[in-house]
Structure formats: C-alpha cells, structure tokens
Amino acid sequence: MPPPIPATIAALHDAYRAGKLRPTDVVEAWLARDASERAAPVWISVQSPEVLRARASTLDAQLRTDPQRALASPVFGTLFAVKDNIDCAGLPTTAACPAFAYDPAEPAFVVAALEAAGAMVAGKTNLDQFATGLVGTRSPYGAPPNAFKPEIVSGGSSSGSAVAVAKGLVHFALGTDTAGSGRVPAGLNNLVGWKPTRGLLSVRGVVPACRSLDCVSIFTLTVADAARVFRVAATFDAADPCARSLALDRPLLRHEFTFAVPRAADLEFFGDSLAQAAFADAVSRMKALGGMPREIDFAPWREVADSLYDGPRVAERHAGIRAFFDAHADAVDPTVRRILDRGATFSATDTFVAEARLDELRAKLTPLWSTFDVLVVPTAPTAYSIAAVQADPIELNRRLGTYTNFANLLDLAAIAVPASMRPDGLPSGITLLAPAGGDLMLAHLAQRFHATGTLPLGAIGVAAPAAETLAGHGDTVQVAVVGAHLQGLPLNRELTERGAKLVRSTRTAPHYRLYALPATTPPKPGLVRTAGEGQRIAVEVWELPASAFGRFVAGIPAPLCIGTLELEDGSHVQGFLCEAAAIAGAEDISRFGGWRAYLESRNPRTTSATPQKETP
C-alpha cells in the first residue's frame, strides 16, 4: 500500500525534503484509487499508467541527485488535472463533445510550463460542453456531483476540475473562466478559485469560449498553493495574441482597508436564506480583519453581467467553434446549441450598440475604484439540485452568474475563497475582485480571510494549515536564515546580491534544535525540528524577489535545504533546515539560542557586524 499523500503542495514538499516520499509514490497512490474515482463523470480521459510511471521515475532521479534544485520549483512532484478544453500532449481534447475531439500536436502553453516545472498531468476533466455553462450538467459524460451533496450541482463549466481537487484526487487543477467557470465551482465545493487578470496566463492551446474574455483559472485547497501554481503558470507567452505583461505591484492590504459590497437592496439570493446569512457572516469577518465596508449601487455591475449572455457578446461563442458547429450542430448538447444558435442572430449593428453601452458602464464604474480597495460579493447566490437545473437549464444557470459574469468584461482579477459551511452541509464562499494586476494583493487578503475560519480543506476533512508567506509572479519570498547567511556573516552576500532586505529578527517556535555541523566552510549550523524537547532559536527573516528565490535555493549545498519553519508568533515562512542524518556526531548548540551567540561564545570577534536587537 503506497504511503498517504499529503493534500497540499506545501506538505508534499515537506515530505519530499524529509525523504518520506518520491513522485513515484504519488503516482502509485493515484493508480491505486478505486477505478470509479478515475472515470466519468469527473474525468473524460486519464493518463496511462506507463506514461505516469515513466514521468515519475524521471522526477525521482531529479529529486535524488539534486533535491534543492528540484524543490526550488513550486510545483515539483505534484499531480494535477486539466479541464478538457485545454490541450495536453498524448490525450485527446474533447471540450465535452465527442464529435469535436482531436489529438493536439503539443500541449497548451500553460500545461507545458507546469510540466517543465515538475508537475504531472493525471488526466482531463469534465466540463459544461464548450465551456458554456455554470452548472456542470451540460456534458454527455454526465454531471460531476457536488463534493458535499451528490444531488447538488458542482458548478461549471470547470466541474470536473473542481470536484477532483475537492475530493483530494489531485493537488491542483486547471480550469477556464470566462463568465465565472473558475469561481462558481470553487464556491460550491469549498475551494480556492483564482481567476487571474485576463492575459496573465496564456490561452494558447485552449478551445475558445469567448476568446477576448477567456482566462485559464486555478483550483486549489489553499491560497498559498494557488500562488505556487500561479507563480509558474503566469509566464508571458509572446505567441499568444491575448497575452499581457503587467506589474503585479498593488500594495498589500495589511491592516485597514475599504471593501465595497452591494447595498442590501441589491443583494440577491433567490430566496436562499442560508446563503444570505453566510454572506452576512463573511462581511463581519472581513470587518474584523480591518476592513471598512462601503455599500454600492450594484445595478450597473449587474447590467454588465447581463450583457454577457443577453446581447451580441454571445456571438463570440459561436465564432469560436463556427466551422464545427455549422457542420455538426446536431452533435452539440441541446442547451448549448440553443445558446450558440442565438449568437448567430445578432447583427454587426447590434454589436456596436452593445459595445457603446459597455463603454458607458465602464466609464461609470472605473472611477469607483478610487473609493475602495476591493469588491466583495458572494461567489454563488445559491445552490441548485441537478434535477432542478435540468428542468430549467437557462434561467437557473443565469442566476448562478449573478456575481461573476461582469468580471472579465470590466478587466478585473478575482479570487473565490471558502467562507463557511452552511447548516445544510453545503459550503459557502465569497469572491474578492480588484482591477487588472491586483492578483497578488487579492491573494494576500484572501489568505488572511481564509485563515479566520475553521473550515477543513475541500471535502477531505483535513484541517487547513496555517497561513504562509505567499510567493507569486513578481512577488517576494520571505526566508528565515539561521547561520552563515545572517547579517554580517560570510554568506549574507548571497542574499544581498539578489536584492534581499532584512525584515525582522525573531525566533523559531520551541520545536527545534541547533547543531554545529562539522567540516563545513564557512562554518554552518544545522536546524532540525524535533518531536522531543526543543528550543527557540534566533533567526533573521529576509525578503527577496520571487524571481531570485529559485536561484538562491539552487545554490544551497546538502545537507542543508529550504523547508517551512514555524516562528514563535505561530506564523510560517520558508527557512533553512538540515537533513536529520547529518547531525549524527554534531555538537548540539541549542542551549546558546542561536548561531551568532554560539560564535560569540567561542570568539567574540567572530561576528563582524552588530545584529539588530532580537525579538524577546
């Protein structure tokens, strides 16, 4: 029986560093699952055991020969799912329409980037056909059941991707989000759903829904894991005409901030009092974080949302698959066909009239962002049964997009984050939105909010881990140093030459022991977490650009490595650890409380710089 596989990427990497797991173990655990967990309706196709085992074997070798370099990748050794409107080499792309299926010559750009970073594709997941829907019921492969109540919709169109993550089948999944397909399923399955700023993740190799609005989205159990995936996936693709390169430098909302919410008269839950109560509770928790609410007139936002399906914009969906649809309309799901047929009825004049009105609404709404930092809305206003949606597929689908359809039309970044569990056993979530480029600011706030709750991860019953320092594209990483990288010591230049800045001096939680490693030049200590009696050990927390973090980690020699350290205030950061085998025969110097104090005890002149005062 394969060893249990950690649910989060952070925990998986800790297991790799400790030598408890290999990528082969991850693959064997996946292959050992019941066949029903690797089949429809969640999956459309899965990778062959031979391909997965060969891939894992290659990664095993990388981990064995150079673990520091391998684990410098945020997604190394992870298993992920891909929505089946995104190309993967060796697997057909169907967009949930068997007659449309083709074998791609190469993977989508974003899939290739993740595979190059050491992630492994488990298979292709089910979706509302041609990514047209928010319900997850419009597929000939069946309707993936909600991870909490199988009679409830899972949300769409990225239904299979969301359920695969919620059930712990994979570490993360890719979806797409044009109208809310990366957020509604997240909200209905207790997940993080990151809809990036349009153009940050390449859509080359993605079957278009509305090409001008399409986004590749990310599903994970935690915000920190989503940031790891984003860091790799948000690579500029010069061959994608929709790609953009933006500075993700919005200031983080650390303390006081202003958040907009729809005024009470505009909030619509379609009679779902549990959803209404859950959102009110989420607003209260946002206020407890330092947020100051500001009610806004939501009518113009709703008008923008309605224009996505109620006007000529829907013609772009027809345009994306026009050649296939015009020749094979009878092979298309009846509800999807009805929508695409309507797209062909609008004139060019209708399109320009609608675009002019959208410009007016943008001009009205854009200045409002100077009066608040983020917009907070329910992710989904309610949750419907599969039977109810099948009986009324258009209207109930439209309702689920109440708080999502406007985002891409207004060029907003958005992150859906779990909020609470309702008394009826269904999850409830909220979505945070900001103008283009606000992705990392939103992620930071989303993690702060998520950490205020007591929700387990997805539907797997595992407690949520402590909040982490997020590292995203263009962001910074905090790393705790304990020895020769301390300020004024010989290897500190490896930090400063990469633009690192000292954030604070503090101590670890009392779960560590420090050893003087023999025969190292310059002298270095080894920090080891212990299950027995430990000490608080002095560390410095440095912040360096995320783009330089991988190179820094790659230069760290064994037996040292970078792992997750717990600090005395309960927070977690990346930091120096040591392989347990290396401390055999090494002097235990924990009693000194830190490397600098140990050096001073041997020779007061050893330290050449006066350290900042440590946190008591």
Side-chain angles (χ1 to χ4, degrees):
M1 176 67 66
I5 305 302
T8 67
I9 300 174
L12 177 71
H13 277 196
D14 283 346
Y16 282 153
R17 291 186 182 95
K20 297 178 180 178
L21 284 177
R22 302 168 300 157
T24 291
D25 297 316
V26 174
V27 165
E28 293 302 327
W30 158 255
L31 295 174
R33 286 186 175 274
D34 188 276
S36 64
E37 293 187 298
R38 296 184 281 112
V42 173
W43 301 89
I44 291 179
S45 62
V46 293
Q47 197 71 270
S48 73
E50 294 77 16
V51 168
L52 274 174
R53 284 173 171 144
R55 171 71 168 146
S57 179
T58 299
L59 297 179
D60 284 354
Q62 293 177 17
L63 184 64
R64 183 173 58 253
T65 58
D66 196 345
Q68 283 79 22
R69 186 178 298 276
L71 294 173
S73 164
V75 297
F76 177 86
T78 57
L79 197 66
F80 75 108
V82 180
K83 185 177 180 178
D84 199 16
N85 62 338
I86 304 173
D87 289 345
C88 288
L91 294 172
T93 300
T94 73
C97 181
F100 177 78
Y102 63 90
D103 294 316
E106 59 184 16
F109 181 87
V110 66
V111 172
L114 290 162
E115 290 187 301
M120 301 178 286
V121 175
K124 307 292 289 295
T125 49
N126 202 358
L127 65 151
D128 282 314
Q129 194 174 78
F130 294 113
T132 301
L134 292 172
V135 286
T137 62
R138 302 170 179 176
S139 170
Y141 299 96
N146 184 282
F148 291 85
K149 287 192 171 185
E151 70 273 19
I152 300 298
V153 296
S154 58
S157 60
S158 309
S159 51
S161 288
V163 174
V165 175
K167 289 188 173 182
L169 304 181
V170 291
H171 293 103
F172 69 92
L174 298 182
T176 59
D177 190 317
T178 302
S181 296
R183 289 163 282 160
V184 170
L188 295 179
N189 290 280
N190 194 40
L191 299 175
V192 173
W194 188 326
K195 187 214 76 67
T197 296
R198 184 168 41 81
L200 288 184
L201 271 63
S202 173
V203 293
R204 185 158 58 95
V206 178
V207 177
C210 290
R211 185 174 295 278
S212 67
L213 302 178
D214 293 340
C215 297
V216 173
S217 66
I218 300 164
F219 293 101
T220 56
L221 296 171
T222 69
V223 177
D225 276 358
R228 289 181 171 88
V229 178
F230 178 80
R231 180 175 158 197
V232 174
T235 301
F236 181 74
D237 178 9
D240 176 11
C242 298
R244 303 157 77 185
S245 182
L246 298 174
L248 307 182
D249 55 1
R250 292 282 300 278
L252 301 184
L253 305 178
R254 298 188 184 277
H255 300 295
E256 292 184 355
F257 60 95
T258 302
F259 66 98
V261 292
R263 62 189 181 187
D266 290 335
L267 280 169
E268 178 61 82
F269 297 96
F270 302 100
D272 189 337
S273 60
L274 295 181
Q276 184 174 6
F279 183 65
D281 176 71
V283 169
S284 296
R285 286 167 54 196
M286 195 63 71
K287 291 164 66 176
L289 287 176
M292 296 171 285
R294 179 176 184 271
E295 290 194 347
I296 59 171
D297 177 7
F298 202 62
W301 304 80
R302 185 164 292 163
E303 184 179 346
V304 173
D306 291 344
S307 72
L308 190 60
Y309 281 104
D310 293 345
R313 173 68 66 170
V314 74
E316 192 173 12
R317 289 189 176 269
H318 175 257
I321 58 167
R322 180 177 180 179
F324 171 81
F325 181 76
D326 290 352
H328 305 284
D330 59 345
V332 178
D333 174 89
T335 302
V336 175
R337 182 168 67 243
R338 177 178 166 187
I339 294 167
L340 296 178
D341 275 335
R342 185 165 178 265
T345 66
F346 292 97
S347 69
T349 301
D350 294 330
T351 301
F352 283 109
V353 170
E355 285 300 307
R357 176 55 182 160
L358 185 58
D359 285 341
E360 292 174 359
L361 291 168
R362 288 181 181 130
K364 179 177 182 178
L365 295 174
T366 298
L368 295 181
W369 288 102
S370 65
T371 66
F372 53 82
D373 297 299
V374 295
L375 172 61
V376 178
V377 296
T379 299
T382 187
Y384 293 110
S385 70
I386 293 174
V389 168
Q390 290 173 335
D392 190 0
I394 298 294
E395 174 58 22
L396 299 193
N397 184 93
R398 183 190 66 79
R399 292 179 182 182
L400 288 180
T402 298
Y403 300 109
T404 59
N405 284 356
F406 59 83
N408 284 334
L409 288 166
L410 296 175
D411 199 13
L412 305 179
I415 296 182
V417 62
S420 61
M421 198 63 66
R422 299 165 24 149
D424 62 356
L426 286 173
S428 177
I430 61 170
T431 295
L432 313 181
L433 300 107
D439 301 73
L440 298 178
M441 177 270 287
L442 289 176
H444 182 268
L445 181 59
Q447 181 176 242
R448 287 182 60 204
F449 175 83
H450 197 194
T452 66
T454 57
L455 288 174
L457 297 177
I460 60 177
V462 174
E468 298 180 42
T469 299
L470 301 184
H473 182 77
D475 199 5
T476 58
V477 183
Q478 289 192 352
V479 58
V481 301
V482 70
H485 287 86
L486 292 166
Q487 187 179 36
L489 295 187
L491 298 184
N492 183 249
R493 58 180 175 76
E494 294 184 357
L495 288 168
T496 57
E497 288 174 355
R498 290 177 169 88
K501 297 180 180 179
L502 179 62
V503 176
R504 57 179 169 144
S505 296
T506 183
R507 296 185 296 179
T508 68
H511 311 311
Y512 297 88
R513 301 204 70 81
L514 191 67
Y515 296 83
L517 299 178
T520 56
T521 305
K524 302 181 185 72
L527 183 70
V528 178
R529 188 176 179 106
T530 177
E533 183 179 354
Q535 300 283 342
R536 289 182 171 86
I537 304 299
V539 296
E540 291 176 353
V541 179
W542 288 74
E543 190 170 74
L544 72 161
S547 59
F549 181 65
R551 296 193 302 275
F552 175 69
V553 173
I556 297 171
L560 302 179
C561 62
I562 295 293
T564 301
L565 265 64
E566 182 181 358
L567 302 181
E568 65 179 349
D569 63 2
S571 63
H572 292 73
V573 296
Q574 298 295 291
F576 276 82
L577 289 171
C578 181
E579 297 172 8
I583 64 173
E587 181 186 359
D588 186 336
I589 59 171
S590 306
R591 65 187 183 278
F592 292 98
W595 181 243
R596 199 187 297 275
Y598 167 72
L599 294 180
E600 288 282 5
S601 73
R602 300 179 65 200
N603 183 350
R605 295 187 298 277
T606 300
T607 54
S608 59
T610 301
Q612 292 189 3
K613 184 178 179 181
E614 294 184 358
T615 303

